[in-house]
Structures are given as C-alpha cells and as structure tokens.
Amino acid sequence: MIGRSWPASKLSIGASALWTGLHALDGVDLLYSGSQRVVQTGHAIDVRMGALKEWAGQRGARSLEAIVVHNRFAATHNVVYVDRFWDPGLQQFIAQPRTDQNFDHTNTWGAQLDYQIPLPTPGWRIGWVATVNRATHPKLPNYDITNVAVIPWDPGRSYAYQLGVGVSKVLGPATFGADAIYEPIRSYTWADAVQPTATLSGDTIAVGGKTIENRFRFSNALFRIGVGRDIHLEGSPNALAIQLGLMVRSINYQLQQTDNVELAQRALRTSWNEWTPTWGITVRFPDFELRYRGRVTEGAGRPGTQFVVGVRDLALASGTILAAPSGPLSLVNVNTSTHQISLSLPLH
C-alpha cells in the first residue's frame, strides 16, 4: 500500500495491491456430487486506487471518496472420482480412480463513489454511496451437483450495482447510525456446444453455439442499524464502550432459462431473509485496549442432498459463479456465530 496527502488542499490519494494464494474455498466440494476428493489451487489479485477530497464548512467537513478496483480470480479444481466397472476376467467389480480438471476464472472491474455532508442539526451527517461492478467469466467449471443442470464450460458476464443512503448522529459519548442499500444484479451465462448438437426440431447447433442460456436478475436489499456508547468510569483512567447493532439482508432473484436443444424455457423466482444481530464491548486502559466483537447470522442455509421439509430452488455460487438449479434443493438451516477478541498495544 502507498499513499500521499496534501493537508493544505485536504486531498489524499492511495493505491494498494494484494495477492492471495488459494488452496481451499468453502462449499466447492458440494459442486461435484459423488467425488472422492477436490484438490484446489489458485490465486486472487486485487488492485485498488482511490482519492479522498474534503471541504471545510461551518457545520463540519464535506467529503467525496472515489475508488477504482480490478480483481482477477483464478482457481483450478482437480476432482477425483472413483469409477466402478465389471471385470469379466476377475469376475468382480473393480474400482478405478479418475481425475477431472476444472477451471474457475473471473475478472472484475469496479468503481465506487461515496459522498458525505453534515446536516443543519448539530451532530447529524448524511451520506450516499454508488457502486458499479462488471465481471466476466472466461472459464467456469463443469459442475456435477445433484438437481443442478450440468452446463459444460459455460462463460458469462455479470453486472452488479449498489445504491445506498445512511445517516449518523453523534451526541457526546453516544453514536447512532443507520443505512439502507439496494443491490440490483444482472447475470448472463450460457453453455457452448462442444460438438454439433441436434435440437428437438431437427436443426443443428454448430460448435460454439449456445445450447443453454441463463439470465439471473437479483434484487437484493440491506438494512443496518447500530448504536454505541462510551462510558467513563468515575475516579478511574479506564473507559468502557458498548456497541449494539442489527443487519437484515433480503435476497430475491429470478431465473429465466432457455434450453435451445430441447426448445424449452423455465422461470424461477426465489427469496429469503437473513438476520444478523451484533454486539461488542471495548475496555480502554491507559496502556492498552481490549475489544470483544460478536455476531450471529440466522436465516442462511447450506445446500444439501437429503430431503428436508421446506426445500427451495437455489442458485449456488462458487466465488462469483452461478450454477442454475434444475429442481428443488434441500437447504439445511445454519446459524453462524462469530466471536472476535483483540488486544491493541501502543508501539511507542
């Protein structure tokens, strides 16, 4: 990371580059039904450039922040299967391992603008955020998952947007904040014919033609609210801070799938809500600071193959890849709890 600031003009610019080695991503094993082992290798590169400009005013400073992002994700999945066949010489079934190699590549460009201004009422601020992302998928794996259509080497592209507004209030030792964000997403993927393919009407799809087309339309929403309070202990140099918050995420998507081989179309609509209460305690001593953060996410689920009452059609994702379901998938309810304890010490 590198940056430079000009205090006189209240302007700051910065840039960062991050390389990450990848050897295991959660949920990838679920994309290959019946496999014995999935060996994952890959990397992700993230490059960002940003600028921050502030303007002084009678009620406080206004600020405008702009960021440009480029991310490249590349992973290889070596999937090991065990095929069983009848050996007439030995008069028994023989197990023979087989390894399939799949590639998962996504390139993303994005930009974000964040603008904040103080309100006439003392202590209040309001801000807006706008984000746009474009992702291309030059290589997608040959998923083999139960109840999901196997789509060989389907490329695609996605566009994701974010529009949000938030307010905050600082009154002495107390802080309040709330924001609401709308996230529309459009994704288009298709399957390329690896050989001339006959259609139901007798026509032929040439090599490279589209056999299946998937169009996803997401309409997600996010609402967050939180409060914090600093408590100064009388007669002691120590201080205590308490934070409480709640995040609600609504996920709603439509799938329009066209099968150019069977000359069929399918429409799907799915939605659910996720709730995440959060809490935290901070204890500040003269020579160090101790923090605790906790949260619980409810309403999410992990896809499975067993029968569960209340199944729903679900689009599965690995990284930024969507796999279109061909029927209901069981979704096992999962509550995720996260606890974090941190200790901060001064170096001077």
Side-chain angles (χ1 to χ4, degrees):
M1 295 181 289
I2 187 172
R4 172 72 187 274
S5 62
W6 292 268
S9 58
K10 295 185 179 297
L11 175 65
S12 302
I13 61 173
S16 68
L18 173 67
W19 180 90
T20 305
L22 303 173
H23 300 282
L25 293 178
D26 182 47
V28 170
D29 57 311
L30 298 174
L31 298 175
Y32 301 100
S33 179
S35 63
Q36 300 297 309
R37 185 173 70 255
V38 180
V39 180
Q40 305 176 47
T41 57
H43 66 272
I45 300 175
D46 188 275
V47 179
R48 298 170 183 254
M49 296 185 64
L52 171 65
K53 173 64 177 178
E54 295 179 301
W55 295 271
Q58 295 181 351
R59 300 191 304 267
R62 294 179 294 126
S63 66
L64 175 64
E65 181 179 355
I67 301 175
V68 177
V69 180
H70 179 55
N71 184 280
R72 303 181 70 88
F73 175 91
T76 301
H77 305 158
N78 291 309
V79 187
V80 179
Y81 296 93
V82 175
D83 298 327
R84 298 179 63 87
F85 63 93
W86 176 257
D87 189 328
L90 298 177
Q91 291 294 303
Q92 63 181 11
F93 283 99
I94 301 297
Q96 182 175 350
R98 169 175 55 89
T99 301
D100 290 349
Q101 189 175 70
N102 293 271
F103 299 100
D104 189 352
H105 295 174
T106 297
N107 302 323
T108 303
W109 284 95
Q112 177 174 296
L113 288 176
D114 188 325
Y115 182 60
Q116 298 184 33
I117 60 172
L119 294 176
T121 305
W124 283 93
R125 292 181 65 85
I126 187 171
W128 297 268
V129 62
T131 305
V132 57
N133 291 278
R134 180 182 186 271
T136 58
H137 318 297
K139 289 289 186 180
L140 302 188
N142 283 337
Y143 295 142
D144 185 11
I145 183 171
T146 305
N147 288 335
V148 173
V150 178
I151 303 177
W153 303 110
D154 51 339
R157 55 182 178 267
S158 302
Y159 296 88
Y161 309 92
Q162 186 182 75
L163 298 173
V165 60
V167 294
S168 67
K169 167 70 172 179
V170 178
L171 181 60
T175 303
F176 164 82
D179 60 23
I181 298 174
Y182 175 60
E183 299 174 332
I185 305 172
R186 302 293 181 266
S187 181
Y188 176 45
T189 62
W190 60 87
D192 290 336
V194 296
Q195 61 185 9
T197 304
T199 67
L200 189 63
S201 63
D203 296 331
T204 300
I205 300 177
V207 175
K210 298 175 181 179
T211 58
I212 296 179
E213 298 178 73
N214 301 297
R215 289 179 170 85
F216 286 95
R217 298 172 62 91
F218 282 81
S219 183
N220 301 340
L222 178 67
F223 176 75
R224 295 176 294 197
I225 186 171
V227 295
R229 182 67 160 81
D230 291 337
I231 302 174
H232 297 281
L233 304 179
E234 186 176 354
S236 172
N238 304 334
L240 181 68
I242 300 175
Q243 303 89 28
L244 294 173
L246 175 66
M247 179 176 70
V248 182
R249 179 182 293 274
S250 173
I251 300 174
N252 186 308
Y253 77 85
Q254 303 176 53
L255 166 64
Q256 295 288 337
Q257 187 179 72
T258 302
D259 189 333
N260 297 323
V261 177
E262 299 295 331
L263 303 181
Q265 291 187 339
R266 185 168 65 94
L268 170 68
R269 180 188 292 270
T270 300
S271 63
W272 69 90
N273 297 321
E274 299 176 3
W275 301 78
T276 305
T278 62
W279 59 93
I281 298 176
T282 302
V283 182
R284 301 186 182 94
F285 298 93
D287 47 358
F288 69 91
E289 183 176 278
L290 184 64
R291 295 182 179 182
Y292 164 74
R293 299 287 186 271
R295 67 179 182 180
V296 176
T297 300
E298 300 180 351
R302 186 177 180 87
T305 56
Q306 68 272 27
F307 175 79
V308 177
V309 177
V311 297
R312 60 175 176 241
D313 290 328
L314 183 69
L316 301 180
S318 168
T320 56
I321 309 308
L322 290 174
S326 61
L329 294 173
S330 62
L331 200 67
V332 182
N333 290 329
V334 174
N335 293 334
T336 304
S337 300
T338 304
H339 303 277
Q340 181 186 68
I341 298 176
S342 61
L343 177 65
S344 300
L345 298 172
L347 298 179
H348 57 80

